[in-house]
């Protein structure tokens, strides 16, 4: 495997391109506009500079990483020589199904098609192609250059060969892959999201305040970040949509999203990215203040 195409240069896509390129692969980064690609490339450069300052890489590694990345705004050109395509486009089912149809039609017949989806069924995405045995989930964690885990998700028809190739490749880029099966939320979000939801329900019912809930989980369970702060970091809209996938997929009331979460998303309070969620955020500042809505 030599040529990797990453589709989507956003938060996850640029991180995935960075990690493959730093490990010697030729990467083509595809997005819809040159602006989106430029933004992705400048994030990669910033992250490489940070690694350089910390002496984790050399100037030569930074240069080779950047020269290993080429870009395209044309999907078909971007995938025509790919051995592996990792799709990290926007989390909309219709967008992904359409993309996989096009990718399947234009990519080399031997290519493996992976998706970084956090909640959409791999089996459903695979069914949009004529090569379901070569379709697999590669769920990287954010921030990609730092986080060790890749949740490797087997769809119903994913072959042993495809799985073995992706497990080996994941180790080659310095990650620790874990193989799981395709059920709503896979493993990471099936366990994480109900915990976040329960933290929001506890706040909503007045069991404790924002700081108290997060402190219990940080000091009591040794979590690096409390569940409410983590929800702000992930994005409350993303948390809501994953909970809806779990609720819909399993049909069990235990996955029903807390009404407070629904209200906050409806009101546009989506967490760090909008400046307010359970906490308020000032760009460039690391100070963490509870949102006035949740102070007495
Ligand atoms: P993002 O919104 O930062 O980036 C998505 C990029 O995809 C945008 O630059 C957009 O222009 C591009 N795009 C959309 N449609 C496209 C198309 N047809 N062709 C080419 N590019 C297209 O989103 P983010 O956060 O990077 O998420 C990407 C995927 O990764 C989603 O499936 C998400 O669920 C998953 N994910 C996100 C995590 C996170 O913490 N943000 C964690 C793990 C998975």
């Amino acid at each position: 495997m030599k040529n990797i195409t990453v589709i989507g240069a956003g938060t996850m896509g640029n991180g995935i391109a960075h990690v493959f390129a730093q490990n010697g692969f030729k990467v083509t980064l595809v997005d819809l506009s040159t602006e989106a690609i430029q933004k992705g490339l400048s994030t990669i450069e910033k992250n490489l500079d940070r690694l350089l300052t910390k002496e984790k890489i050399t100037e030569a590694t930074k240069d080779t990483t950047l020269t290993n990345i080429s870009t395209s705004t044309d999907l078909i050109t971007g995938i025509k020589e790919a051995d592996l395509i990792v799709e990290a486009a926007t989390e909309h089912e219709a967008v992904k199904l359409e993309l996989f149809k096009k990718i399947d039609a234009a990519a080399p017949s031997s290519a493996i098609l992976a998706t970084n989806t956090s909640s959409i069924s791999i089996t459903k995405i695979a069914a949009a192609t004529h090569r379901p045995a070569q379709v697999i989930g590669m769920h990287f964690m954010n921030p990609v250059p730092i986080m060790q885990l890749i949740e490797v998700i087997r769809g119903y028809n994913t072959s042993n060969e495809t799985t073995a190739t992706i497990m080996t490749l994941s180790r080659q880029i310095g990650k620790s892959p874990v193989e799981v099966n395709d059920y709503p939320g896979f493993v990471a979000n099936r366990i994480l999201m109900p915990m976040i939801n329960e933290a929001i329900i506890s706040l909503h019912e007045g069991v404790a305040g924002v700081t108290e809930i997060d402190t219990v989980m940080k000091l009591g369970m040794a979590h690096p970040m409390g569940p409410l702060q983590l929800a702000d970091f992930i994005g409350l809209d993303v948390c809501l949509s994953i909970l809806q996938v779990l609720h819909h997929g399993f049909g069990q009331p235990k996955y029903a999203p807390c009404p407070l979460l629904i209200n906050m998303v409806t009101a546009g309070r989506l967490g760090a990215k909008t400046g307010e969620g359970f906490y308020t955020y000032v760009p460039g500042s690391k100070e963490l203040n509870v949102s006035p809505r949740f102070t007495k």
Side-chain angles (χ1 to χ4, degrees):
M1 218 171 255
K2 280 198 200 108
N3 300 321
I4 317 277
T5 298
V6 178
I7 299 174
T11 310
M12 298 303 287
N14 74 62
I16 296 168
H18 170 160
V19 168
F20 275 111
Q22 194 179 312
N23 285 280
F25 292 89
K26 294 284 175 206
V27 176
T28 307
L29 186 56
V30 176
D31 207 303
L32 298 170
S33 66
T34 41
E35 292 75 30
I37 288 177
Q38 278 317 317
K39 203 169 156 214
L41 286 178
S42 77
T43 304
I44 294 173
E45 198 159 355
K46 241 184 279 158
N47 289 336
L48 285 167
D49 283 336
R50 199 168 300 150
L51 292 173
L52 195 58
T53 313
K54 290 186 182 161
E55 294 182 353
K56 297 218 162 130
I57 58 167
T58 61
E59 190 76 51
T61 308
K62 178 189 161 185
D63 292 346
T64 358
T65 303
L66 290 172
T67 47
N68 276 345
I69 303 175
S70 57
T71 64
S72 174
T73 49
D74 179 56
L75 179 72
I76 309 303
T77 317
I79 63 175
K80 67 176 193 295
E81 285 174 7
D83 301 310
L84 166 70
I85 292 146
V86 184
E87 174 275 321
T90 318
E91 183 80 347
H92 282 148
E93 191 174 297
V95 168
K96 298 214 192 265
L97 295 182
E98 188 56 37
L99 258 172
F100 273 80
K101 262 188 217 149
K102 288 189 189 157
I103 295 169
D104 183 39
S109 60
S110 59
I112 292 179
L113 316 185
T115 171
N116 185 50
T117 180
S118 32
S119 62
I120 299 167
S121 159
I122 308 302
T123 306
K124 195 167 197 177
I125 291 173
T129 75
H130 294 97
R131 59 179 99 187
Q134 287 159 245
V135 177
I136 194 160
M138 254 186 125
H139 186 204
F140 289 81
M141 305 290 132
N142 184 15
V144 182
I146 309 274
M147 297 291 281
Q148 204 54 40
L149 177 71
I150 301 178
E151 203 178 18
V152 174
I153 307 131
R154 293 184 70 129
Y156 195 83
N157 285 312
T158 309
S159 69
N160 290 338
E161 196 187 341
T162 300
T163 309
T165 304
I166 294 302
M167 294 292 284
T168 305
L169 181 71
S170 301
R171 292 190 190 99
Q172 254 176 288
I173 56 171
K175 300 295 185 195
S176 303
V178 173
E179 187 184 321
V180 310
N181 289 316
D182 183 26
Y183 287 93
F186 317 131
V187 169
N189 283 321
R190 181 174 182 162
I191 295 172
L192 176 66
M193 287 303 158
M195 184 191 74
I196 285 178
N197 199 36
E198 204 57 44
I200 304 171
I201 294 170
S202 303
L203 176 70
H204 187 51
E205 291 180 353
V207 179
V210 171
T211 312
E212 288 74 16
I213 291 169
D214 275 357
T215 305
V216 165
M217 297 307 284
K218 274 193 291 187
L219 301 187
M221 318 300 154
H223 289 191
M225 198 184 271
L228 298 173
Q229 189 187 350
L230 181 57
D232 274 0
F233 178 67
I234 294 169
L236 301 190
D237 52 338
V238 176
C239 294
L240 176 60
S241 98
I242 298 172
L243 278 163
Q244 284 165 336
V245 167
L246 291 171
H247 193 208
H248 179 76
F250 292 115
Q252 290 179 29
K254 69 175 178 176
Y255 297 110
C258 176
L260 172 60
L261 174 63
I262 297 173
N263 261 354
M264 290 174 77
V265 173
T266 310
R269 308 287 173 183
L270 307 183
K273 63 186 166 189
T274 60
E276 188 185 330
F278 297 103
Y279 297 87
T280 52
Y281 300 86
V282 179
S285 159
K286 290 208 165 148
E287 206 178 314
L288 198 60
N289 294 308
V290 174
S291 157
R293 283 154 214 279
F294 300 111
T295 51
K296 289 187 194 106

